[in-house]
Amino acid sequence: IYSDISKAPILNGLPDAFTIDGKDINMMHSDAFSGTSSIYIKQNYKSNFWEQGINFYFNTKIDMSKLIDEYYLESYIKSDNKDVKIQFTFSDYSTDYFYTIDSNYVKFNGDWECVRIPLSTFMTNGKNWKIQRFGINLTSDKTQGAEVLIDEIRIRKAL
């Protein structure tokens, strides 16, 4: 889904970043786990209703129903704010399938950490799963000023 922004052929143009003032998301931050860039998100507001993050829109619907049982979402995350909550979302535009990670899942100690989430965690009702959007959102209202780096977002087969 994301390695370095120039290596993302399944995207329809650049991803859509949503933020209050448009200055707090950088798709080519130089602190990367691998390669030359990572995604940087800084939460610069406090609200119970707004999320801050980024969406990746795919050129075509991707049928992921055959991947549910054997694949997982993998990403590398870096933050030193222990109150951070990061929501990963797959969407077919009628339903959002999401999973939220927090300090119970990763340490958020300022080092790069690998996150692996089975796709079955997102999808529970067994219907056809044709995805058109993938999103990453900061969702906690306790993270004013939190900075999060995300890199190497992949769908991988479990070993």
Side-chain angles (χ1 to χ4, degrees):
I1 297 174
Y2 176 92
S3 183
D4 285 337
I5 194 65
S6 62
K7 299 177 185 175
I10 61 173
L11 298 178
N12 183 10
L14 288 176
D16 167 39
F18 50 98
T19 179
I20 296 300
D21 63 12
K23 298 179 183 176
D24 303 318
I25 296 182
N26 179 350
M27 288 298 298
M28 299 184 72
H29 194 276
S30 61
D31 183 355
F33 174 78
S34 177
T36 59
S37 61
S38 67
I39 298 170
Y40 169 86
I41 304 172
K42 181 175 183 182
Q43 190 158 4
N44 257 346
Y45 62 91
K46 187 173 185 176
S47 170
N48 291 326
F49 303 105
W50 289 93
E51 297 173 344
Q52 190 165 0
I54 189 163
N55 286 314
F56 295 87
Y57 297 96
F58 302 112
N59 289 333
T60 184
K61 288 183 178 181
I62 299 172
D63 186 356
M64 294 180 55
S65 57
K66 295 178 179 149
L67 306 180
I68 292 170
D69 294 327
E70 296 182 32
Y71 287 77
Y72 58 89
L73 172 72
E74 178 181 85
S75 181
Y76 289 85
I77 296 173
K78 182 177 181 179
S79 182
D80 61 3
N81 187 317
K82 300 210 182 300
D83 290 323
V84 164
K85 291 182 181 177
I86 303 169
Q87 183 180 78
F88 293 96
T89 305
F90 290 99
S91 177
D92 61 10
Y93 289 118
S94 64
T95 306
D96 288 342
Y97 308 94
F98 60 88
Y99 186 78
T100 303
I101 63 166
D102 58 19
S103 60
N104 293 315
Y105 195 93
V106 293
K107 297 175 190 164
F108 293 126
N109 61 6
D111 294 328
W112 284 103
E113 300 177 74
C114 184
V115 172
R116 290 185 179 112
I117 307 166
L119 292 183
S120 60
T121 305
F122 293 92
M123 183 68 184
T124 58
N125 63 9
K127 71 173 190 171
N128 289 335
W129 198 29
K130 295 183 179 174
I131 300 305
Q132 284 194 281
R133 180 180 65 85
F134 172 73
I136 304 167
N137 310 307
L138 302 185
T139 61
S140 176
D141 63 347
K142 298 179 183 179
T143 55
Q144 176 72 15
E147 298 176 316
V148 176
L149 293 165
I150 303 167
D151 202 3
E152 298 300 319
I153 305 166
R154 299 178 174 147
I155 304 294
R156 297 198 125 167
K157 188 170 184 173
L159 300 175

